[in-house]
Structure formats: C-alpha cells, structure tokens
Amino acid sequence: MAAKGFKYEEFAQNLAAQAQDLVPAEFSPDQKEYVINTLGNFSMMAGKALAEDKNLNFDVETSTYITQIIAEWSFHKSVDVIRSGIPRRHWDSIMQRIAYTIFEVAKQTFSQGIPNDQIIEIIEHHVNKAYVDAITELKDKGVIDESLMEFAASQSNMNKMAQEMQQQQAQAQAQAEAQAQNPDQMPQGQADAPSDLPQPVNAGVPALEKEDEIPPKALKLATVAMLFKRMNQDRVQVYLDKFEDNDAQDVIKYMKLPDLSQRIGVENAMKCLQEIKMNLPKSTDLIPLKVVKKIKNFASQYSEKELETMLIKERLGVKRLVFTALEDKYYEKIPPKVASIVATHLISSV
C-alpha cells in the first residue's frame, strides 16, 4: 500500500528552501540554482513514487526518511559535480544515476528491515560508487582525461562540511578553555541553554556527580547532544528528525554549549553512555583487524592479476583497501563500518 498521507510536494519544497543557505558561497547564481533545483526535483520525484506506487509498502515516516536521504545526497553530490570541473552537459546524467541508485538501495534495505544506521552507510557506499563509476565512464569515452577524473573523484562536500564542523568544535573548545580562565564572562550561547542543566563550575572542580540533581530526561538529552557534537552533522539531522519537536530543540541548544561535558558531569555522562551502549546493536565484524582478515580470506583465493580484473570498476579506495589487506594492514582512510560493508559487497558479488 502506498504512503497516501505523505505530503511529498510540501516536503520537497521545504527541503529545497532549507538548502538555500547551505549552498557554497563561492557558487554563481546559476550554480546555486542548479543545486537547489536538482535537490527539489529528485525529492519531488522520489516522494511522488513513494506516495503513489501501490507496489511499495512504506509508511509516511519511512517515505519521509527516504526522501530526505535523497535530498541530502542530491545536495552534496551536485556540489561535488560542480566543483569537479566536469562539463555542464554531463551533470544531469551523473546526478540521475546517483538518485536512481539511492532510491533503489533505499527501497531494498528498508524492505529488509536493516537498522537505519547501517542503511545510511550502505547508501553512502553505493552513492560514492555510482559517482565514481559515472565519471570513470566519462574518462573511458574520452570526455575527460584521467587527471580530471581523479580530481572529480576526490570531491566530497560531505567530508568538507564535516571538517568545518570539527573546526567549529575546536573553536568552541577554545572558548570553553577561555571561559574556564574567566568564569565571570558569559560565553555565547550559554544564555539560551535549557535551564535543567546546572551552570558550569570553576575550572578544575568536577561538575555535578549526583544523578538526582539533574532531571533524568534532561540528562539523557544532554548526553545525546554530547554524542551528536562528535558526529557528522548531516547524520545528526537525520536522527533529530526522529525526536519530538521540543526534545529536538533542547538537544540543539545543548549542542551549542561549549561547556556541555562540564555541566553533565563525568559520572552522569558515563552512566548514560553505558545505557546507550547496552542498547546499541552488537556487531562482530567491524574491528579493523577482523575486516582485514575477512578481505584477505576473500582475496587470497585469486591471483593479483585476477583481483585487478575483478576490481577494475571499483573506486580507488576499494582497491587500496583490498591490496592493503593482503599485506595484513588496514587502509585507514575508509571507516571500519564502511570497510565491512565493502568486504561483504565484494564477497557477494563474485
């Protein structure tokens, strides 16, 4: 049954409007328009299919989630395509390939009931693969040369935004240290913090250690905010959309606090983090050493020439992951979770 209650047109328009302020400042008006229109069009098409296709069995929540994933990746990869230097006439074909990939992978993974965090990583892998495959085909056809292909493949607006967030966090940490030296000065953002958390204490003095001094719900939301501050901010927004509006607003306010960890307190944070850890799905193959062993067992069945032939269409990072594993080493530029998914994909594709 299709998600009849899904107001996809309104949702797609809202997503496009939100993206207006996120387009890189150096883009020309035409480039900015391309990013916004691409995001809006793909979101609209995906939403329409999810809302009206009777063969799909997704509810409104899942349909909204899938549409948002498509919107976010449409934004990031359209920025990458523009920055890549690839001729304008080839942008649409690349983006259409990526949007189709996201939609199909999302349908399959959500239908199989795979946990959302794993779905995000699977989609990320396939998006990057579709992007690299598309620009590799342009190189093979003589549209672009190898140097431009490599430059295009290196583009990642998602990673760039993550680095910018890390820099902002570093600045916040510096502000927190400055505040510790000048406790009478109110740091920016502190006045807007939810009142449930205690005010920061003097430098060098432990924060609250008694759990009953902070309301349990406020403590949990603040601990979640502490985790979110360390995460890729694109994924944070996906998770925040699952919260009640008031709770999401509190989490966002907590995230703005440079002294958040001091207000929560070590003991309180550890208790909450332990509870979160106990409720997370267990995984046995995400440790780098196990990933290396998994890939090595697969690759050891073939000669180097056979491996090169099998991996010819894979992106450079995947090739390096495999051949580094043959040397009993882990290719650290690929996160362990993604590497595990890649290993599973390689094994199942043979």
Side-chain angles (χ1 to χ4, degrees), residues 7-67:
K7 299 179 180 179
Y8 64 89
E9 293 183 354
E10 179 180 341
F11 186 56
Q13 291 170 359
N14 288 338
L15 290 172
Q18 292 173 26
Q20 292 278 349
D21 296 331
L22 299 176
V23 178
E26 72 270 17
F27 278 15
S28 68
D30 287 343
Q31 291 172 332
K32 180 176 182 178
E33 183 179 5
Y34 180 82
V35 173
I36 300 303
N37 287 345
T38 299
L39 181 156
N41 291 338
F42 287 161
S43 300
M44 188 76 72
M45 288 188 290
K48 181 178 176 64
L50 292 165
E52 299 179 359
D53 190 341
K54 296 181 180 180
N55 294 321
L56 299 178
N57 192 29
F58 297 137
D59 56 19
V60 173
E61 181 180 3
T62 302
S63 299
T64 301
Y65 193 28
I66 293 174
T67 304

Side-chain angles (χ1 to χ4, degrees), residues 236-247:
V236 168
Q237 187 57 53
V238 173
Y239 293 126
L240 282 175
D241 288 340
K242 300 295 183 180
F243 285 63
E244 295 292 336
D245 289 344
N246 291 338
D247 292 344

Side-chain angles (χ1 to χ4, degrees), residues 69 106 109-110 113-124:
I69 292 173
T109 50
F110 276 99
I114 297 174
N116 287 356
D117 58 340
Q118 294 183 28
I119 290 177
I120 293 296
E121 289 168 357
I122 292 172
I123 289 176
E124 180 176 357

Side-chain angles (χ1 to χ4, degrees), residues 249-269:
Q249 291 174 12
D250 280 350
V251 170
I252 292 172
K253 290 179 180 178
Y254 289 140
M255 290 175 67
K256 294 179 180 179
L257 294 175
D259 57 351
L260 178 61
S261 60
Q262 297 177 38
R263 294 201 189 192
I264 295 175
V266 176
E267 183 177 335
N268 291 336

Side-chain angles (χ1 to χ4, degrees), residues 243-305:
F243 285 63
E244 295 292 336
D245 289 344
N246 291 338
D247 292 344
Q249 291 174 12
D250 280 350
V251 170
I252 292 172
K253 290 179 180 178
Y254 289 140
M255 290 175 67
K256 294 179 180 179
L257 294 175
D259 57 351
L260 178 61
S261 60
Q262 297 177 38
R263 294 201 189 192
I264 295 175
V266 176
E267 183 177 335
N268 291 336
M270 291 302 295
K271 286 182 179 180
C272 278
L273 289 173
Q274 186 63 29
E275 289 182 11
I276 293 173
K277 181 179 179 181
M278 292 296 293
N279 291 317
L280 288 175
K282 299 295 187 296
S283 180
T284 58
D285 63 343
L286 300 183
I287 300 175
L289 182 62
K290 292 185 177 182
V291 174
V292 168
K293 183 177 180 181
K294 188 175 183 179
I295 294 177
K296 188 175 180 181
N297 288 340
F298 156 74
S300 62
Q301 304 174 45
Y302 307 94
S303 66
E304 184 173 339
K305 186 174 182 179

